Amino acid sequence: MSIAATCATILSVLAAAKGGESIALKGDCSAITITRSYPRTVTIQADGASVRGLAVVGGQNISWRGGTISAPQGAHGRGRDGYGVLIRDAANVSVTGALITNAKKSVVLDGARDVTLNDNRFQHYGEDGVIASNTKGLTILRNTFADQIGKPTECNVAGKITLGVKRRDCVALGGAWVDGYHNDAVQMRNGVADAVIAYNRVEGETQGLTQMDKDGDAPLENIRIEFNTIQTDGYHQITLGDCRSCSIRMNTVQRAKGSTKKAVIRAQAGVSVCGNTVPDMPSTAGPRCKDAPAIK
């Protein structure tokens, strides 16, 4: 039996939940923040709803299914106002079958544990589809990433703004330089561990499934990237750097139609690479896989 909720009542319904409930949410909602931990999973069936900002902060055992999620201030929002979904210091959280759109960062994971993102559509995002930091136990399956929102660099010289200028050229002109967007479908950094990223499709003007670290970040560990299709106009279709007990296998990597950028897999020594299809640079595909583990 499902409990009905509206945008006006959803927080009180969640506050009264004991665990194990299914809540049917309908309406065009502003931001929803869930901080409670439940002994059994509470499921929000959101097929009839849209929400401008979903956050699970410190909560546990939350399942969100369906609906449309966007950022409070859209694809150019600052900080949290640009996040579609924020999962911070939370555990056992899933988002399934949703359209996640019009966000600067569609899903932000920070200090999360046991997060599942399955069968979602990521569209019209500015910087990242998923960006994960210090997260353990991450499953990203059967999602699509497409129709990214670009933003070029800006160079301001005496009040005149020119787009697409490199930093060094702008500085040489005495200008103030502002960076643009560097889209990634999935970006991991700073100690992400125990992740499976499989059967996703990535297309458009974006980078793909990447490790993009900052100075001082912890290495990644036990990351499996497999059976994905990536057809993009970007420089990093699949990239893993300091990644321990990690593998890249059975993926298809191609250029987007008309792209001049070679499609390639980049992996530092120690990352297992096998069985991939990489027409531009077959040398990065790896040998045929032997006794590779199956997706669980």
Side-chain angles (χ1 to χ4, degrees):
M1 182 176 177
S2 183
I3 302 169
T6 67
C7 300
T9 65
I10 181 63
L11 293 182
S12 61
V13 170
L14 287 167
K18 303 299 183 183
E21 292 88 349
S22 178
I23 301 168
L25 175 64
K26 295 187 182 299
D28 183 6
C29 306
S30 57
I32 295 172
T33 299
I34 304 171
T35 58
R36 286 198 59 195
S37 293
Y38 299 98
R40 291 182 295 150
T41 299
V42 169
T43 300
I44 299 115
Q45 298 283 355
D47 288 335
S50 61
V51 58
R52 292 182 296 281
L54 171 65
V56 182
V57 179
Q60 184 170 336
N61 292 330
I62 310 293
S63 175
W64 183 281
R65 302 184 69 87
T68 299
I69 304 170
S70 60
Q73 297 298 323
H76 305 296
R78 292 179 178 270
R80 190 162 161 176
D81 281 339
Y83 298 170
V85 179
L86 170 64
I87 302 173
R88 175 174 289 157
D89 300 324
N92 193 20
V93 178
S94 65
V95 179
T96 303
L99 170 62
I100 308 174
T101 185
N102 195 26
K104 187 174 183 180
K105 298 178 184 293
S106 298
V107 176
V108 176
L109 308 174
D110 184 19
R113 300 293 181 269
D114 299 322
V115 174
T116 300
L117 304 171
N118 284 4
D119 302 299
N120 301 291
R121 291 176 294 148
F122 291 81
Q123 294 180 337
H124 303 296
Y125 57 88
E127 284 190 342
D128 299 298
V130 179
I131 181 166
S133 173
N134 186 28
T135 291
K136 306 291 190 296
L138 174 60
T139 302
I140 303 176
L141 293 181
R142 300 182 303 272
N143 303 279
T144 60
F145 299 83
D147 301 324
Q148 298 78 17
I149 294 172
K151 183 181 178 184
T153 62
E154 298 181 1
C155 181
N156 188 331
V157 179
K160 181 181 179 181
I161 296 177
T162 305
L163 303 179
V165 178
K166 294 180 179 179
R167 181 199 293 268
R168 65 174 181 268
D169 296 333
C170 182
V171 171
L173 294 169
W177 185 82
V178 178
D179 201 1
Y181 290 161
H182 302 273
N183 309 80
D184 292 89
V186 178
Q187 179 182 332
M188 298 171 286
R189 54 170 293 266
N190 193 28
V192 173
D194 304 328
V196 176
I197 304 171
Y199 297 104
N200 302 284
R201 181 169 184 85
V202 182
E203 57 188 34
E205 295 186 23
T206 183
Q207 299 184 147
L209 313 175
T210 69
Q211 176 181 3
M212 294 291 170
D213 292 324
K214 296 182 179 179
D215 290 343
D217 278 356
L220 307 190
E221 186 173 357
N222 191 27
I223 309 297
R224 293 165 56 189
I225 298 177
E226 45 200 48
F227 301 103
N228 302 282
T229 300
I230 303 170
Q231 188 172 13
T232 62
D233 181 22
Y235 288 107
H236 292 271
Q237 283 77 18
I238 301 177
T239 294
L240 289 178
D242 188 359
C243 194
R244 291 132 189 221
S245 300
C246 299
S247 63
I248 301 170
R249 70 182 190 103
M250 304 299 290
N251 302 280
T252 298
V253 171
Q254 299 173 319
R255 297 189 201 189
K257 186 176 180 179
S259 176
T260 60
K261 303 179 181 72
K262 286 187 176 181
V264 61
I265 292 173
R266 295 177 172 87
Q268 286 191 8
V271 175
S272 175
V273 180
C274 71
N276 301 284
T277 301
V278 190
D280 271 348
M281 297 188 71
S283 61
T284 68
R288 182 175 179 179
C289 297
K290 296 180 180 179
D291 301 322
I295 295 282
K296 294 182 179 180

